[in-house]
Amino acid sequence: MLAASGRFPEAAGHALEAAHWADEAGQGPTLGAWARHQLGGFLLRQGRFAEAAEVLESALPDLTAETHGDGAIVQTQWWLGDCHTQLGEHREAAERRLQAAEIARHWPDQRDHAMLAHLAAEALGRADLPAEADRAYARAGDLWRELGDTPGLVRSLRARAWLAAGGEAGLDAGRELMAEAARECSAAADAAADDDARARLIVELGHTHRQFGELVARSVDDGADAETTQAAFEEALRHLTEAIAAFASLGAGALGSRTAAELAAGWLEADLGRPDEASARARAVLAAYEDANAETAEARRAEADRLLEVLATRQQR
């Protein structure tokens, strides 16, 4: 009850006391392990990551499928992965999540398996293990596809695209994966059963096109010649234009995403030597947030103003 109402410090105190009395009664491996499992979760929710990891590590050897259920073991591993992530220990986080995924793969519902594989892939990427990350994302993608979860599938494809473009596979492989992600989004949006589902898929489509544009634009090396740079920026701009159109079709609900893509396109227009087009994009963003005071509005207006200042400075040269 305490945890359900967000009173995690009090809940942690009760769990600690329960673990103590279980140990005193000689039930440390049974009730004590369960209490320590819960205590670790409560500490994690308070942001006490190192303490939570220590408690969860102490509970794990005593947790058994027969006594506590394999769900408790998976949850403990999952929480340990979260602790390691917060502590910057990404290789350890990946290891815990993969161990949990190995158990969850035997469950009838494969959603936890897919999520754990995806989280493991993210940790492997942060640990600078791109090949392992790609395999984990591919595993997660297959599971998302089997589950009919297009957003999960698309996110795994986008992540693999970034890994490919930044590694030995290169930009062309990254392009193929981003294009596949866009196709999956479009097909699922066309087949969506209701407007809400379609809107969520259109949002993913917009993010996919925006990331596609960023992927191509960032592929340009500092020493690239003018022709190569222009070709890449033109391609990136086309993808950003697609992103803007996708977000615009959703109206005010996607304004933040649309204006972010609009500004990204504006910077590309500026780098392509098109000050009028870049200025028009910046002013469109300012107009969109003319009467808004939220944090996103302030950030967008500030960036739009910076773009206009850069354009003015360049024209004075």
Side-chain angles (χ1 to χ4, degrees):
M1 291 295 291
L2 292 172
S5 61
R7 296 159 63 186
F8 297 118
E10 293 174 67
H14 285 294
L16 179 60
E17 186 176 358
H20 168 74
W21 287 114
D23 290 341
E24 287 290 314
Q27 297 185 46
T30 54
L31 295 178
W34 178 252
R36 288 191 293 276
H37 158 82
Q38 290 184 311
L39 174 59
F42 297 146
L43 292 171
L44 172 63
R45 286 171 173 82
Q46 294 176 69
R48 297 163 64 179
F49 305 118
E51 295 171 78
E54 184 177 354
V55 171
L56 292 167
E57 289 279 7
S58 72
L60 195 57
D62 290 329
L63 292 171
T64 66
E66 294 76 18
T67 301
H68 306 95
D70 54 8
I73 300 172
V74 168
Q75 183 64 78
T76 300
Q77 298 276 26
W78 197 321
W79 282 339
L80 273 168
D82 292 345
C83 290
H84 287 305
T85 294
Q86 294 296 329
L87 295 169
E89 299 164 353
H90 301 301
R91 188 185 292 261
E92 292 82 355
E95 181 179 347
R96 289 303 184 186
R97 288 162 175 169
L98 288 171
Q99 289 170 349
E102 186 61 23
I103 298 172
R105 77 184 183 90
H106 299 290
W107 294 353
D109 187 339
Q110 289 290 283
R111 291 189 182 278
D112 284 337
H113 183 196
M115 180 58 73
L116 284 161
H118 200 114
L119 290 170
E122 290 179 356
L124 289 164
R126 295 190 188 105
D128 197 24
L129 296 167
E132 292 84 346
D134 181 72
R135 287 195 293 272
Y137 276 124
R139 173 183 177 182
D142 289 342
L143 290 166
W144 291 131
R145 191 188 299 277
E146 291 173 10
L147 289 164
D149 190 322
T150 300
L153 169 61
V154 166
R155 289 167 193 163
S156 68
L157 288 168
R158 290 197 306 244
R160 293 183 66 202
W162 284 103
L163 289 170
E168 295 181 3
L171 179 59
D172 285 344
R175 280 192 181 103
E176 290 178 10
L177 287 161
M178 279 292 186
E180 182 180 353
R183 289 193 299 271
E184 292 286 351
C185 270
S186 295
D190 290 341
D194 55 66
D195 290 343
D196 287 343
R198 182 178 180 280
R200 288 193 294 271
L201 290 161
I202 293 298
V203 167
E204 290 296 339
L205 179 61
H207 288 312
T208 300
H209 282 302
R210 182 180 175 189
Q211 288 193 35
F212 205 157
E214 291 173 349
L215 182 83
V216 174
R218 293 183 191 181
S219 71
V220 178
D221 296 327
D222 291 338
D225 59 59
E227 183 178 352
T228 299
T229 300
Q230 179 169 350
F233 284 3
E234 292 279 11
E235 180 186 350
L237 185 59
R238 289 194 295 273
H239 293 302
L240 285 168
T241 301
E242 293 278 0
I244 293 165
F247 293 132
S249 72
L250 299 174
L255 180 61
S257 296
R258 177 178 70 78
T259 51
E262 193 82 64
L263 287 167
W267 288 109
L268 281 176
E269 299 271 28
D271 289 338
L272 285 165
R274 301 169 185 166
D276 291 343
E277 290 85 345
S279 178
R281 292 186 185 277
R283 295 190 188 285
V285 171
L286 291 173
Y289 288 112
E290 186 175 7
D291 300 318
N293 296 310
E295 183 178 347
T296 299
E298 293 176 4
R300 294 290 187 272
R301 283 198 298 263
E303 186 177 352
D305 285 336
R306 283 199 304 275
L307 177 53
L308 290 171
E309 289 171 9
V310 168
L311 292 167
T313 300
R314 289 180 182 178
Q315 287 181 324
Q316 292 171 2
R317 292 175 183 172

